[in-house]
Amino acid sequence: MELESWSEQSERLWVLASGEGMPRRQFLALLVAGGTAAVLAACGGRGSSSVSITGGPVSTVDPAALFKDPTPFIQRGASLESRLELMPGLITPNDLFFVRNNSTSVDLSVDDWSLVVEGDAVEQRLDLSYDDIHRLPSRSVTAYLECAGNHRVMFDRLQGRTADGTQWGRGAIGNGIWIGVSLADVLTLAGLADDAVSVLLVGLDEDSPEGGFQRVLPLEKALDPDTILAYEMNGEPLPRDHGFPLRAIVPGWVGSSQIKWLGRIVVSSDPQWTRNNTTSYVLIGGDYSPEGEALGQVVTEQNIKSALALPWPARLDAGHHTLRGYAHSPHGRIHRVQYSEDGGASWRDSRVLTPQPQYSWAQFEFDWSATTGEHTIMTRATDAADNTQPDRVPFNQKGYLFNQPLPHPIRVSA
Ligand SMILES: Nc1nc2c(c(=O)[nH]1)N[C@H]1C(S)=C(S)[C@@H](COP(=O)(O)O)O[C@H]1N2
Ligand SMILES: [Mo]
């Protein structure tokens, strides 16, 4: 499994680096800047003969599938998983923001691009240029964006059942400041019919026989003024890997609804069913009932989660540490994050940091005095509406929405 082989590799490298007296901070900085080669070089050029990086190739990313530098990420084919321990704070910089591609990133030019709005529930078909979009009133939204499969590997690790799909750890999430236009304004421009019920967003990547990657939104979510079509991410034009020139941002909803390289919108007076709300992004399992044309319960909103911003497993020196992490919920702000050192028998409060703007995730931290040996720390978040992470999530075949508290393994050495 990719994640296992990657952590084995970094574990071996870290054993070598710490044997050379390299502090963890320097090790990570080298790994980020120059990959394994830089770590090996700094270890006196002992090279791969003394540390055999055998758990598969160091890079598993397909270089043709992406534009950004994959070095700081856990690499997974055409997708990149973020390392929470590298996150500098509340906002995830673009070069550390995870990428989830179902095919490959697309290189579009604004000159050849336009956004088509059509369907039986609009009065007129629109064809909007990049400039047309920019002439509409702009709207800024601060929101986390998370893949429905974030934490998926935990079904395997904590329940002993492997779900289908990319075995994401905890880094299929990032938090951004997005600027664009309200989808509602675009729909109004096309003239929304009274009987409109569903809005299909279609990407320009070549994802499946039905066309680009696509997802339908019910009218209500499409008309939420904070559902935007974004052209800017963290003060820069939307990067190519994140959907240049235009992508949907649907706060609180599954990552797969936030269509990148948006090219077409179909507004219909009927519900629309495509792959991503029938066979994919549905909860399939005995605990879930199918709905409409879907094989299971359709995944719409994400759920409440928390994670420590440490490598998995983590290694710390004995002594006092401030441990940090991130928590988020689609149902409101995070009010509380607790941690447990005894498998959930007792819990203590961490400090939830402010600000926590809009649909942003929250940062939390707590002081921990690390004693030599093996430890496991769990975290559990609670939001303003009193939702909290459940002790157990029923299994679903495709491994979505895993949000049990994660027992994070930490090895402390003297
Ligand atoms: N056109 C298109 N949009 C897409 C995807 C895709 O493969 N193609 N992947 C989706 C999924 S599954 C996720 S989790 C998010 C990831 O957004 P990011 O790559 O900007 O982090 O984009 C969504 N939008
Ligand atoms: Mo996703």
Side-chain angles (χ1 to χ4, degrees):
M1 226 172 26
E2 284 165 40
L3 185 69
E4 302 301 347
S5 69
W6 200 95
S7 55
E8 274 168 35
Q9 288 158 17
S10 41
E11 178 87 355
R12 280 198 199 93
L13 270 180
W14 169 240
V15 169
L16 173 71
S18 54
E20 299 284 317
M22 190 188 296
R24 172 123 203 133
R25 195 169 279 277
Q26 186 193 347
F27 167 72
L28 276 176
L30 281 168
L31 199 61
V32 170
T36 51
V39 178
L40 290 170
C43 290
R46 282 166 60 183
S48 51
S49 54
S50 64
V51 58
S52 65
I53 312 283
T54 51
V58 169
S59 167
T60 58
V61 79
D62 171 0
L66 286 153
F67 297 101
K68 69 168 78 173
D69 175 8
T71 314
F73 295 90
I74 300 166
Q75 303 177 10
R76 306 179 176 286
S79 299
L80 300 172
E81 177 172 340
S82 293
R83 297 178 188 277
L84 294 184
E85 64 274 22
L86 301 183
M87 303 261 157
L90 191 70
I91 301 300
T92 310
N94 293 355
D95 55 2
L96 296 179
F97 208 104
F98 88 105
V99 178
R100 167 61 173 143
N101 281 342
N102 289 269
S103 44
T104 61
S105 286
V106 191
D107 193 8
L108 298 175
S109 141
V110 291
D111 300 331
D112 312 326
W113 175 89
S114 70
L115 175 66
V116 171
V117 186
E118 58 189 5
D120 76 313
V122 289
E123 280 158 24
Q124 53 166 338
R125 181 180 188 275
L126 287 185
D127 202 331
L128 300 170
S129 70
Y130 193 61
D131 288 343
D132 293 337
I133 297 282
H134 278 260
R135 276 193 284 270
L136 293 170
S138 73
R139 190 163 182 109
S140 173
V141 166
T142 302
Y144 70 85
L145 189 159
E146 184 186 31
C147 182
N150 195 25
H151 296 195
R152 179 181 284 132
V153 73
M154 303 300 168
F155 276 111
D156 186 26
R157 289 191 183 151
L158 302 180
Q159 296 190 4
R161 292 183 74 179
T162 309
D164 302 344
T166 304
Q167 295 299 305
W168 295 113
R170 302 156 307 128
I173 183 166
N175 195 47
I177 302 172
W178 313 90
I179 296 180
V181 297
S182 288
L183 172 56
D185 287 350
V186 172
L187 298 179
T188 305
L189 213 57
L192 207 52
D194 289 343
D195 59 354
V197 299
S198 70
V199 178
L200 179 70
L201 307 175
V202 185
L204 293 167
D205 45 346
E206 286 171 29
D207 177 65
S208 66
E210 65 191 358
F213 193 80
Q214 49 193 271
R215 175 66 195 236
V216 65
L217 299 178
L219 191 69
E220 193 192 356
K221 189 66 182 175
L223 291 183
D224 182 327
D226 288 332
T227 296
I228 65 168
L229 307 182
Y231 43 70
E232 204 178 295
M233 173 180 186
N234 297 329
E236 290 171 18
L238 194 64
R240 288 176 293 179
D241 290 317
H242 297 289
F244 182 84
L246 197 68
R247 78 164 311 159
I249 292 295
V250 188
W253 271 48
V254 277
S256 56
S257 61
Q258 318 209 18
I259 298 301
K260 305 193 278 188
W261 312 293
L262 187 67
R264 199 160 66 95
I265 299 177
V266 184
V267 188
S268 173
S269 54
D270 288 317
Q272 299 176 74
W273 299 97
T274 68
R275 187 191 66 188
N276 289 336
N277 63 351
T278 54
T279 57
S280 275
Y281 304 99
V282 295
L283 302 173
I284 302 171
D287 296 275
Y288 301 99
S289 338
E291 53 185 83
E293 294 179 22
L295 297 181
Q297 184 185 320
V298 181
V299 181
T300 58
E301 285 176 319
Q302 292 288 107
N303 56 9
I304 186 168
K305 295 190 186 70
S306 60
L308 286 172
L310 289 172
W312 181 297
R315 296 172 147 259
L316 294 174
D317 295 332
H320 290 287
H321 295 272
T322 300
L323 301 187
R324 321 185 287 124
Y326 296 95
H328 57 279
S329 166
H331 307 294
R333 287 190 166 76
I334 296 295
H335 264 200
R336 188 175 194 193
V337 181
Q338 298 163 291
Y339 67 98
S340 173
E341 295 176 64
D342 53 14
S346 64
W347 297 88
R348 290 175 193 218
D349 281 334
S350 74
R351 297 184 290 278
V352 178
L353 307 188
T354 51
Q356 192 190 144
Q358 259 192 326
Y359 312 103
S360 170
W361 65 9
Q363 294 178 273
F364 65 89
E365 60 176 38
F366 54 91
D367 301 318
W368 189 59
S369 79
T371 54
T372 311
E374 306 284 338
H375 300 268
T376 303
I377 298 186
M378 295 168 93
T379 62
R380 184 176 67 186
T382 305
D383 67 20
D386 218 27
N387 298 293
T388 193
Q389 296 179 246
D391 293 340
R392 191 174 170 86
V393 182
F395 182 79
N396 69 87
Q397 194 184 310
K398 303 213 166 181
Y400 300 123
L401 301 181
F402 186 97
N403 72 337
Q404 288 173 216
L406 305 178
H408 200 121
I410 302 176
R411 185 181 306 163
V412 177
S413 44

